[in-house]
Amino acid sequence: METYKTCCFIGHRNIVITEELKKEIYGFLESLILNDNVKVFLFGSKSKFNYLCHCIVTELKEKYPDIKRVGYACLSERFIFESEREKFNEMIFELTKRKVQYCGVEEEKRLKTVLVSGRAAYIKRNQAMINDSDYCLFYYNENYVPPQRKNGIGYYRPNSGTAIAFKYAKRKHKAIKNFFKG
């Protein structure tokens, strides 16, 4: 039985997308497919980096039909995906100038801990993706600070989910590629 490798994508919600970034990601992914036998790509969050990588993997799937896209979704994101699918597909079209269905995956992974983790389920989801991956591709700016949010008591500043995931991947000694140029 042939062994293959897996790659996940984690990045900030908002990124600057350039033609150079698209080409760099495309070339890196194609190299992983051809030289490192990466056949499975894991997607999770609602970030622009995730959308961009999904579009590129979908494009590569036309050239390499044996690759597989797997979606990891938190319960809260599943409802968002269903209710805001058109909005996300429009964002993808804006990024790629092509019609690509974001939720186009060959498999969906549902982990019990992710479905019951509550508001911070994305942390558990990202950890599951990292655990299941040989390669972790990030768009991580270590100087990024999330905006303040309001809760019932007052304002607070949440932790960056990308920062949490990046540190976790390092602790797990994963092969990491960060596409952020700062």
Side-chain angles (χ1 to χ4, degrees):
M1 186 165 113
E2 182 182 16
T3 57
Y4 58 84
K5 293 183 180 169
T6 303
C7 174
C8 70
F9 306 94
I10 299 170
H12 298 299
R13 283 185 194 256
N14 295 306
I15 66 170
V16 176
I17 296 175
T18 63
E19 288 303 314
E20 180 183 339
L21 177 62
K22 289 179 192 177
K23 288 177 185 173
E24 183 181 2
I25 293 170
Y26 186 99
F28 190 83
L29 291 176
E30 188 166 40
S31 175
L32 287 179
I33 293 165
L34 295 173
N35 301 320
D36 295 305
N37 203 29
V38 174
K39 303 254 188 231
V40 178
F41 296 91
L42 311 180
F43 299 92
S45 73
K46 303 178 296 181
S47 73
K48 275 191 177 179
F49 179 68
N50 206 59
Y51 293 145
L52 175 62
C53 293
H54 182 273
C55 291
I56 292 169
V57 170
T58 299
E59 186 176 336
L60 284 164
K61 188 164 177 54
E62 294 172 13
K63 194 172 181 181
Y64 306 102
D66 58 330
I67 65 175
K68 183 166 121 177
R69 300 164 299 172
V70 178
Y72 282 57
C74 303
L75 185 60
S76 60
E77 288 176 335
R78 289 190 46 74
F79 292 121
I80 291 170
F81 284 160
E82 295 304 318
S83 66
E84 296 185 7
R85 186 181 303 259
E86 189 58 37
K87 176 180 145 193
F88 293 137
N89 288 337
E90 287 172 13
M91 184 188 311
I92 290 170
F93 180 74
E94 179 185 319
L95 295 173
T96 64
K97 305 301 182 222
R98 294 179 61 212
K99 292 272 185 199
V100 176
Q101 299 298 312
Y102 173 67
C103 292
V105 294
E106 285 68 50
E107 181 182 329
E108 187 174 344
K109 186 99 170 191
R110 295 183 192 186
L111 304 168
K112 187 173 184 177
T113 57
V114 171
L115 293 177
V116 298
S117 296
R119 188 178 185 116
Y122 68 93
I123 294 170
K124 295 281 190 191
R125 188 264 332 276
N126 287 347
Q127 289 175 348
M129 289 172 42
I130 291 165
N131 291 339
D132 291 350
S133 294
D134 299 290
Y135 296 90
C136 300
L137 277 53
F138 283 88
Y139 191 96
Y140 169 55
N141 174 355
E142 65 183 32
N143 296 316
Y144 170 75
V145 178
Q148 284 190 338
R149 294 185 184 159
K150 187 175 183 175
N151 61 17
I153 300 168
Y155 289 92
Y156 73 101
R157 186 170 308 281
N159 294 319
S160 165
T162 302
I164 293 168
F166 189 84
K167 291 171 187 168
Y168 182 81
K170 286 186 87 159
R171 280 195 315 273
K172 292 292 186 172
H173 305 288
K174 297 294 180 170
I176 297 171
K177 169 74 173 161
N178 186 7
F179 287 95
F180 175 76
K181 306 275 191 258

